[in-house]
Amino acid sequence: QVQLVESGGGLVQTGGSLRLSCEASGSVVSFNNMGWYRQAPGKQRELVAIFTPSGGKNYESSVKGRFTISRDQGKNAVYLQMNNPDPADTSVYYCYARLMSISTAPRWADYWGQGTQVTVSS
């Protein structure tokens, strides 16, 4: 059974920085894509940053230049470096992956982390 385990959320001030981590545990065979979404109260879940199947990076327009997604393929991990956050970035951040595990092969399956709260104060 694959699980996505997130860490690194918390309270940060504008002008500060925060780093989110997500590691996939279990019998992962291959990744299709992996990244981060967020959901603020009363709003729909939205993409923040993601690695595409070709290894490229896509960012939500408001975070470009401030947030950076990176990964460690050896650890099945993805990270989100949040620099100069804004109160509008306050949300629950979710790790997401479309991957193939031993139990789902040859099909891809979608997985979500439990979410980590990020609160940005001005």
Side-chain angles (χ1 to χ4, degrees):
Q1 182 74 2
V2 173
Q3 286 187 316
L4 302 182
V5 180
E6 300 142 339
S7 61
L11 177 65
V12 61
Q13 290 186 325
T14 55
S17 63
L18 200 64
R19 188 184 192 224
L20 306 183
S21 301
C22 172
E23 190 164 328
S25 64
S27 53
V28 176
V29 173
S30 180
F31 285 92
N32 183 261
N33 52 22
M34 191 173 186
W36 296 92
Y37 284 72
R38 66 186 179 187
Q39 188 168 21
K43 294 188 176 182
Q44 288 191 330
R45 192 170 295 188
E46 65 174 2
L47 175 69
V48 178
I50 198 163
F51 279 100
T52 67
S54 63
K57 302 175 187 179
N58 286 340
Y59 292 94
E60 194 272 329
S61 59
S62 72
V63 308
K64 284 182 181 178
R66 301 187 298 121
F67 293 6
T68 302
I69 190 170
S70 62
R71 64 184 174 183
D72 184 335
Q73 291 176 289
K75 293 183 178 180
N76 290 337
V78 68
Y79 309 97
L80 186 68
Q81 180 67 41
M82 305 170 62
N83 293 333
N84 195 24
D86 184 87
D89 297 317
T90 296
S91 281
V92 178
Y93 283 72
Y94 295 91
C95 181
Y96 162 80
R98 174 164 290 179
L99 58 86
M100 186 184 301
S101 69
I102 289 177
S103 60
T104 68
R107 295 179 303 275
W108 301 107
D110 294 328
Y111 292 85
W112 292 92
Q114 78 281 5
T116 185
Q117 176 70 45
V118 173
T119 302
V120 184
S121 64
S122 58

